[in-house]
Amino acid sequence: MSEVVARGSAAPPPAILRGAEILRIVAEKNGMPVKATAMAKALGIPRSSAVNICAALDEVGFLRMSEAGYTLGPKLGELGQAFFSTFAPVRNFAEYCQSVDPMPMTVQLGTLDAFDVVYLARHDGKDLISIASRVGGRLPANCTALGKAMLASLDAAQLDLLLDTQPAQLASLTPDSISDIYALRAALVTTAENGYALDDEETTPGIVCVAVPLSPRQDIQHAYAVSASILRVNATPERIESAVRLLTNLTQAVSGGSSNTD
């Protein structure tokens, strides 16, 4: 007989939670090795405990040990590829982008994790540009077009619940970032009215992003959006309209596999 444990019915063992936190700490270093001593300090645990957990993660391939410290292991890449190969939004995004040759703009797919945008996929356009995001990375939702598009698509009660837990002063990435919670609420009203969101140099100087949510009034666990990035000097109203049309077609393609978005 199979045993099914309801989510949240029992706390995971501390070692599992600490292992997950160690993987997060290492991932945030973007390839720079991390010593077990630094992990122990960050987690508030004895160094010996951190060493034992890292050794176990290294043995199964989730971490890789060197004299300089620990980096992410190849097994994580294997698992990530297995996940994305069966994850409909990412698969549909990739298939659509490959069918449009060349893609006129750099486009991205993201989802919400609490108040962060997590970047799931990216396809570079014919004009290569430098942007702050990367696949697997995360940025504050208030600073990004993707984040604002998804926040504006939430049910009003869910949006209020999420925003009410945020500080009045939000994180900012550039001087143009919306860092005031009340200004963000006003921007989300405009976003909902327009049907798309704008990031006007709020994430990366010199870059404007346009984003469209996959569908309106999503709950936070199933919020997705796609974005297109444009050089600020090229961000004319006509160019933005063109981006919205491109993204609208892309949302329809990505939504085609919505049955596997859980």
Side-chain angles (χ1 to χ4, degrees), residues 39 48 54 62 71 81-82 88-89 98 108 129 136 148 161 167 179 183 196 198 218 221 231 239 241 246:
M39 299 181 201
S48 58
C54 288
F62 291 170
T71 54
Q81 287 298 320
Q98 290 166 6
Q108 298 183 99
I129 59 176
K148 286 183 282 187
L161 184 63
S179 58
Y196 64 88
L198 279 177
Q218 301 187 44
Q221 293 182 339
L231 287 173
R239 185 72 165 163
E241 288 179 9
L246 170 67

Side-chain angles (χ1 to χ4, degrees), residues 92-170:
N92 293 341
F93 175 92
E95 289 175 354
Y96 179 82
C97 290
Q98 290 166 6
S99 72
V100 180
D101 186 25
M103 180 65 70
M105 306 175 193
T106 294
V107 292
Q108 298 183 99
L109 169 69
T111 189
L112 277 179
D113 181 18
F115 202 65
D116 285 343
V117 172
V118 177
Y119 291 84
L120 301 175
R122 168 177 168 172
H123 189 91
D124 288 329
K126 60 182 180 180
D127 297 326
L128 295 179
I129 59 176
S130 178
I131 52 181
S133 56
R134 59 181 177 80
V135 175
R138 58 177 63 219
L139 292 174
N142 57 291
C143 298
T144 67
L146 281 170
K148 286 183 282 187
M150 287 185 283
L151 290 174
S153 76
L154 294 177
D155 176 88
Q158 292 227 0
L159 178 61
D160 285 340
L161 184 63
L162 180 59
L163 293 185
D164 287 347
T165 63
Q166 305 306 313
Q169 196 67 22
L170 302 168

Side-chain angles (χ1 to χ4, degrees), residues 18-254:
R18 289 171 178 170
E21 280 298 295
I22 283 174
L23 292 175
R24 179 189 61 79
I25 290 169
V26 176
E28 289 179 348
K29 293 300 182 179
N30 295 322
M32 296 294 293
V34 185
K35 294 283 191 181
T37 302
M39 299 181 201
K41 183 177 180 180
L43 296 177
I45 62 175
R47 182 183 180 280
S48 58
S49 297
V51 168
N52 289 337
I53 295 172
C54 288
L57 293 172
D58 176 59
E59 184 174 346
V60 296
F62 291 170
L63 288 180
R64 174 175 285 169
M65 182 179 66
S66 68
E67 291 184 1
Y70 290 91
T71 54
L72 294 180
K75 192 67 176 181
L76 289 176
E78 182 182 325
L79 293 177
Q81 287 298 320
F83 168 72
F84 283 128
S85 68
T86 58
F87 190 52
V90 174
R91 186 177 65 248
N92 293 341
F93 175 92
E95 289 175 354
Y96 179 82
C97 290
Q98 290 166 6
S99 72
V100 180
D101 186 25
M103 180 65 70
M105 306 175 193
T106 294
V107 292
Q108 298 183 99
L109 169 69
T111 189
L112 277 179
D113 181 18
F115 202 65
D116 285 343
V117 172
V118 177
Y119 291 84
L120 301 175
R122 168 177 168 172
H123 189 91
D124 288 329
K126 60 182 180 180
D127 297 326
L128 295 179
I129 59 176
S130 178
I131 52 181
S133 56
R134 59 181 177 80
V135 175
R138 58 177 63 219
L139 292 174
N142 57 291
C143 298
T144 67
L146 281 170
K148 286 183 282 187
M150 287 185 283
L151 290 174
S153 76
L154 294 177
D155 176 88
Q158 292 227 0
L159 178 61
D160 285 340
L161 184 63
L162 180 59
L163 293 185
D164 287 347
T165 63
Q166 305 306 313
Q169 196 67 22
L170 302 168
S172 60
L173 299 176
T174 76
D176 294 305
S177 298
I178 297 178
S179 58
D180 178 82
I181 193 71
Y182 301 105
L184 175 62
R185 283 186 177 274
L188 295 181
V189 171
T190 301
T191 295
E193 292 174 348
N194 292 339
Y196 64 88
L198 279 177
D199 154 13
D200 191 352
E201 300 186 275
E202 297 168 53
T203 302
T204 307
I207 300 295
V208 170
C209 285
V210 185
V212 174
L214 260 64
S215 64
R217 303 182 68 79
Q218 301 187 44
D219 65 85
I220 193 170
Q221 293 182 339
H222 301 87
Y224 299 92
V226 290
S227 70
S229 300
I230 310 168
L231 287 173
R232 184 70 186 82
V233 294
N234 297 331
T236 62
E238 294 76 18
R239 185 72 165 163
I240 290 173
E241 288 179 9
S242 177
V244 172
R245 288 194 298 270
L246 170 67
L247 295 173
T248 300
N249 291 334
L250 182 51
T251 62
Q252 294 171 357
V254 174

